[in-house]
Amino acid sequence: FLIFFNISLVHGQIYVSTLGSDQNIGTKEKPVASFERAQQLARAYHGTSGLKIIFRPGTYYLSETIQFTPEDNSKNGVTYQAEKEGTVTISGGKKLNLVWKAYRENIFVAEVNENIKIDQLFVNGIRQRMARYPNAIEGKSVYDTWDLSHNASADSLNDALLPSRVNGWRNPTGGYVHTMHNYLWGDMHWLIKGKIEDSLILLGGWQNNRPSKMHPLYRMVENIFEELDTPGEWFYNDRERKLYYYPARNIDLKKATIEVVKLKHLIEFNGSINHAVKN
């Protein structure tokens, strides 16, 4: 293996391709398949020239956060680059292979066969919205629902926390409340821990350094199943591992690419004053 490895790096290049294999040696003809494997090969490189890791076009899903440490240091430098600029995506997400079934009206449901947390959903590369109220309106600036006005007052038609609306939520646990401060100099956020009749049990509201009442108008809720009622919205029941989605008319779920966020960080550099990460 070492003999072939040395041959593959004679020109100081490691090739990566979505069609490659991590059992390959990293040449242009036999590329590896993952960022992680390319990094391992780079660490073993002891050539006299700088090393280039060249990614062929495609999306590369990371299984774990890439950690650069002093072990990655190189006297002559290591460059990670796309073969053609703008054609490579390094993703901290996960592609889901789902079987969708009609649930009701325009809503579809699919079982997720893994124990994963879903707080962002992308369909064909476009981020979708959690089921929410009020619904989003194109071009609006405050929570995607209102135009900003310092004279805004309460509006029961759009009040996300109206007792009669809360009463219609069977189990809002895991939902979120987002509101502006009463005087519009900040915003606050809560996690819904449950409800008692038509009142929510909330955790949060401390995101700014001074307390304030909720703004009477600028407040919204999301991740509430009963509010799944417009194209582009979704809801994930993590207890049952079921994903519900209301697709836009132009979305063919049989062909759509469904992705969720998996990693908080794509890449970390972990060094110290005495053992820095460099080159």
Side-chain angles (χ1 to χ4, degrees):
F1 176 80
L2 289 176
I3 293 174
F4 289 110
F5 171 71
N6 289 335
I7 291 173
S8 73
L9 299 182
V10 165
H11 300 294
Q13 296 177 333
I14 298 171
Y15 279 84
V16 192
S17 170
T18 56
L19 300 177
S21 167
D22 281 349
Q23 303 303 313
N24 285 344
I25 56 179
T27 61
K28 192 171 186 178
E29 296 74 20
K30 293 186 176 182
V32 297
S34 68
F35 196 124
E36 294 90 339
R37 182 57 180 156
Q39 183 186 29
Q40 291 174 356
L41 295 180
R43 285 177 170 178
Y45 176 65
H46 299 293
T48 58
S49 62
L51 178 63
K52 290 185 178 180
I53 289 85
I54 302 171
F55 289 82
R56 295 268 175 79
T59 298
Y60 296 84
Y61 294 95
L62 302 180
S63 59
E64 301 289 345
T65 297
I66 296 296
Q67 305 277 348
F68 284 112
T69 72
E71 189 178 354
D72 295 284
N73 292 351
S74 168
K75 182 184 295 184
N76 299 299
V78 179
T79 301
Y80 290 78
Q81 68 180 70
E83 184 176 48
K84 183 179 179 181
E85 185 175 352
T87 62
V88 172
T89 298
I90 305 298
S91 175
K94 182 176 181 61
K95 186 176 179 180
L96 300 182
N97 296 312
L98 302 175
V99 177
W100 293 98
K101 298 178 181 179
Y103 175 68
R104 69 179 185 215
E105 297 178 5
N106 299 304
I107 299 173
F108 291 80
V109 62
E111 293 189 9
V112 178
N113 296 322
E114 303 173 66
N115 185 19
I116 58 175
K117 178 179 175 62
I118 300 178
D119 62 4
Q120 291 189 64
L121 179 73
F122 289 79
V123 177
N124 294 336
I126 299 174
R127 185 174 182 270
Q128 308 297 292
R129 290 186 170 94
M130 283 182 174
R132 53 171 281 170
Y133 187 84
N135 289 330
I137 301 173
E138 191 70 31
K140 297 298 183 179
S141 57
V142 182
Y143 294 135
D144 296 323
T145 301
W146 300 275
D147 291 318
L148 180 63
S149 171
H150 287 270
N151 298 316
S153 57
D155 172 9
S156 60
L157 290 177
N158 282 322
D159 187 358
L161 301 180
L162 198 67
S164 60
R165 179 166 291 278
V166 173
N167 194 50
W169 302 335
R170 185 176 66 85
N171 183 11
T173 302
Y176 302 96
V177 175
H178 308 285
T179 80
M180 297 298 294
H181 276 252
N182 197 31
Y183 294 102
L184 298 177
W185 55 264
D187 59 353
M188 303 173 291
H189 312 272
W190 287 264
L191 173 66
I192 300 174
K193 302 292 287 184
K195 75 167 187 171
I196 300 175
E197 296 181 351
D198 56 11
S199 297
L200 295 176
I201 302 170
L202 301 176
L203 174 67
W206 52 66
Q207 287 81 5
N208 282 278
N209 61 354
R210 283 162 47 195
S212 169
K213 293 181 179 179
M214 294 184 184
H215 192 277
L217 177 64
Y218 299 145
R219 50 201 198 185
M220 63 164 284
V221 295
E222 61 178 355
N223 206 35
I224 304 292
F225 179 66
E226 286 80 3
E227 302 301 344
L228 179 55
D229 59 1
T230 196
E233 289 188 346
W234 61 275
F235 175 82
Y236 181 56
N237 185 324
D238 57 0
R239 296 176 297 279
E240 299 178 359
R241 297 185 187 176
K242 290 184 178 180
L243 178 62
Y244 298 84
Y245 180 51
Y246 188 146
R249 288 187 177 182
N250 63 337
I251 299 295
D252 183 348
L253 286 179
K254 292 182 179 179
K255 300 179 181 179
T257 299
I258 310 295
E259 297 168 297
V260 298
V261 172
K262 177 183 176 183
L263 304 179
K264 291 184 177 181
H265 303 153
L266 298 182
I267 295 172
E268 293 180 357
F269 294 87
N270 294 313
S272 66
I273 291 177
N274 295 325
H275 299 282
V277 183
K278 56 186 178 180
N279 297 338

